[in-house]
Amino acid sequence: MNVLDMFRLDGKLALVTGSRRGIGRAMAEALAEAGADIIGVSKSMEPEGSEVAQAVTALGRKFYPYTCDFSNRDSVNAFLRQVTADHPAIDILVNNAGTILRKPAAEHPDEYWNEVMETNLNSQWVISREIGKRMVERGSGKIIFTASLLTFQGGITVPGYAASKGAIGQLTKALANEWAGRGVQVNAIAPGYIATDNTTALRADPVRNPAILARIPAGRWGVPDDFKGTAVYLASKASDYVSGEIVVVDGGWMGR
């Protein structure tokens, strides 16, 4: 097989959560560019005409929109019942949906903690279990989690987020250990500091923004398109012998 053909996703069906904007949208579009049809899921996904849907269909791929409130277990379960009935064979699962709520630890309320953990960890576990067991039964599949630099570091004023992303790193490895021998590769992508809605406050902070930029060897904030190549690699045959890895895409932050 030609090496470039190993990255093709023709005939594959990919489910991407949090795909309406930001990194999730970029990854959904990248998978479509490589040949996959897309199931796009977000809390506020439009039933038709979303920008991501237009981008995917312009490539000649199919786009199936779904809504799901990832902070609500009943909504997650209802979504799973519907999507698995509509699409019994999902080849690629990208667990990207997430949220972040900022408040110092001593003032961090239960409501913040619970919403972040349910969205960033619990829902991703449930979705991975339900989609993943079908992949295991078929003997093939790819699961990609969106981790974070806070999978490795503690962060500031985001204890729930840091805890959830640390757990995502361990969940990636736990599932990989069980499923790699069954034909299902489970890996994660850890974004660095990326210009998205979640980092608006940081980029506007006159102290934190220059401090962050000073540590990034690449000298800039990342952008969602920086994740296209890694997403396609981990979703494709090119990564068939890669399992349980957390691929850091951070402009060199973790190397400092």
Side-chain angles (χ1 to χ4, degrees):
M1 177 180 288
N2 181 287
V3 66
L4 294 181
D5 291 337
M6 296 177 71
F7 292 84
R8 293 298 308 172
L9 299 174
D10 302 289
K12 301 294 185 181
L13 179 61
L15 190 162
V16 185
T17 69
S19 53
R20 185 175 177 270
R21 61 187 182 181
I23 294 172
R25 175 181 168 183
M27 291 195 289
E29 292 178 7
L31 299 179
E33 288 170 13
D37 294 325
I38 305 297
I39 299 169
V41 194
S42 287
K43 183 177 180 179
S44 56
M45 181 66 73
E46 299 89 340
E48 58 183 27
S50 67
E51 292 183 354
V52 63
Q54 293 178 49
V56 169
T57 55
L59 294 164
R61 314 303 176 199
K62 296 177 182 177
F63 185 85
Y64 306 98
Y66 289 82
T67 58
C68 180
D69 180 354
F70 298 99
S71 69
N72 183 293
R73 188 67 60 90
D74 290 338
S75 177
V76 171
N77 287 333
F79 159 69
L80 282 167
R81 286 192 295 270
Q82 187 63 59
V83 78
T84 55
D86 295 344
H87 307 282
I90 295 169
D91 303 292
I92 301 158
L93 169 61
V94 181
N95 282 306
N96 171 73
T99 192
I100 188 167
L101 295 172
R102 301 177 185 276
K103 194 172 281 288
E107 306 164 18
H108 209 81
D110 289 351
E111 293 78 18
Y112 277 26
W113 177 275
N114 292 339
E115 181 177 345
V116 169
M117 294 300 284
E118 193 66 33
T119 301
N120 293 5
L121 179 61
N122 297 343
S123 68
Q124 298 197 26
W125 154 243
V126 173
I127 292 169
S128 297
R129 181 188 64 203
E130 296 305 307
I131 302 298
K133 69 183 180 182
R134 290 166 171 81
M135 293 177 173
V136 169
E137 290 168 358
R138 296 195 309 273
S140 67
K142 302 279 186 173
I143 297 177
I144 304 167
F145 288 95
T146 296
S148 169
L149 292 184
L150 298 197
T151 300
F152 313 100
Q153 301 175 325
I156 301 171
T157 73
V158 287
Y161 184 83
S164 70
K165 291 301 184 177
I168 284 296
Q170 293 305 104
L171 180 58
T172 298
K173 296 176 185 296
L175 296 181
N177 288 344
E178 292 195 36
W179 293 347
R182 308 289 295 277
V184 179
Q185 291 79 51
V186 184
N187 294 286
I189 301 172
Y193 285 91
I194 311 302
T196 66
D197 291 347
N198 277 353
T199 59
T200 299
L202 278 180
R203 286 181 284 121
D205 189 312
V207 176
R208 293 291 309 282
N209 183 44
I212 288 168
L213 283 173
R215 178 171 164 165
I216 301 173
R220 66 173 176 86
W221 286 71
V223 295
D225 278 2
D226 288 324
F227 296 86
K228 285 188 168 184
T230 309
V232 170
Y233 168 62
L234 292 178
S236 70
K237 185 174 179 57
S239 62
D240 278 357
Y241 201 58
V242 179
S243 184
E245 293 299 321
I246 303 171
V247 181
V248 180
V249 180
D250 67 348
W253 173 280
M254 289 297 290
R256 288 293 287 265

